Amino acid sequence: MSRNTFPRAPRGFTIIELLAVVAIVSIMMAIILPKFRISEKTEVQLAGMQLAQDVDVARTRALSTREMVRVAFKTSTRTYGGYLDEDGNGTIAESDAEWQALRGFGVRELPARIQYSRGAAGAIPGDAGSGAVGFPDGRIEFDSRGLTMPMGTRGVVYLASQNDPYAVVAVQVTPSGNVRFWTHTQAGGWQ
């Protein structure tokens, strides 16, 4: 009987082979990962679409409950909140009970790199306001019919990236309560 009857133990990888695999994986990750990063423009657009949706939710709640609803913007804290006149007394104090009664979005903070601002963009067509939040006292109010209060109030809220002054969106609310979403392009202005 020969001494070589036992099978050999499996051979491992050399350090050179392991380093080659790590290098290849690292190069692939360096090429692929930047494609998954959200651009400033996309981040602003997503925040603007969320704001437009939240304003529409507030108006819909005013219509469905036949009560007054407010969306209040706090530029210093980069937040906005929705409130429903849950006791029907015709006033909103922006209390916890009122934002819970809205059953919508409560108080929402803007994403980390987004701010209330026009950035490098001018006003949207028809906006004569000069600020980032163009509503009286920084709030939108809807009556029980979903119309803005006081009657005929219109306004715009601008959101911009802190890193790209040309990444700007606008959410416009008409006196009838309709919400329009605008995107600023560096080449073509507002669309």
Side-chain angles (χ1 to χ4, degrees):
M1 190 157 170
S2 120
R3 293 189 115 175
N4 292 339
T5 58
F6 297 106
R8 284 187 134 200
R11 195 175 145 216
F13 295 104
T14 67
I15 193 77
I16 301 293
E17 291 170 330
L18 290 175
L19 287 174
V21 169
V22 168
I24 292 169
V25 169
S26 298
I27 291 169
M28 290 174 54
M29 295 301 282
I31 293 170
I32 294 171
L33 280 181
K35 295 180 191 283
F36 292 115
R37 188 174 159 263
I38 296 176
S39 71
E40 281 83 7
K41 183 177 178 181
T42 302
E43 190 174 19
V44 170
Q45 287 178 338
L46 291 172
M49 287 187 274
Q50 181 68 62
L51 173 59
Q53 181 181 4
D54 289 342
V55 170
D56 198 43
V57 164
R59 180 176 182 262
T60 301
R61 287 289 289 157
L63 288 166
S64 66
T65 62
R66 298 284 183 212
E67 297 293 343
M68 187 170 82
V69 171
R70 174 185 296 166
V71 179
F73 300 92
K74 309 276 193 260
T75 57
S76 61
T77 59
R78 297 178 34 261
T79 60
Y80 62 92
Y83 306 91
L84 172 72
D85 180 18
E86 44 93 25
D87 58 8
N89 66 358
T91 61
I92 294 179
E94 298 182 16
S95 68
D96 287 349
E98 290 171 335
W99 74 256
Q100 288 173 352
L102 182 67
R103 290 191 209 122
F105 53 91
V107 176
R108 198 179 297 276
E109 185 175 352
L110 295 178
R113 297 182 308 220
I114 307 300
Q115 61 189 353
Y116 292 111
S117 172
R118 282 190 186 172
I124 63 170
D127 179 24
S130 60
V133 178
F135 289 97
D137 300 321
R139 59 190 186 205
I140 307 166
E141 292 186 342
F142 297 103
D143 66 12
S144 62
R145 298 169 296 161
L147 303 174
T148 58
M149 296 176 27
M151 188 62 95
T153 300
R154 69 175 58 230
V156 181
V157 176
Y158 294 92
L159 300 178
S161 170
Q162 293 174 346
N163 300 331
D164 182 358
Y166 295 99
V168 184
V169 297
V171 176
Q172 179 184 33
V173 181
T174 66
S176 63
N178 292 325
V179 179
R180 183 164 182 202
F181 181 75
W182 295 79
T183 301
H184 184 264
T185 60
Q186 193 171 353
W190 290 102
Q191 298 179 347

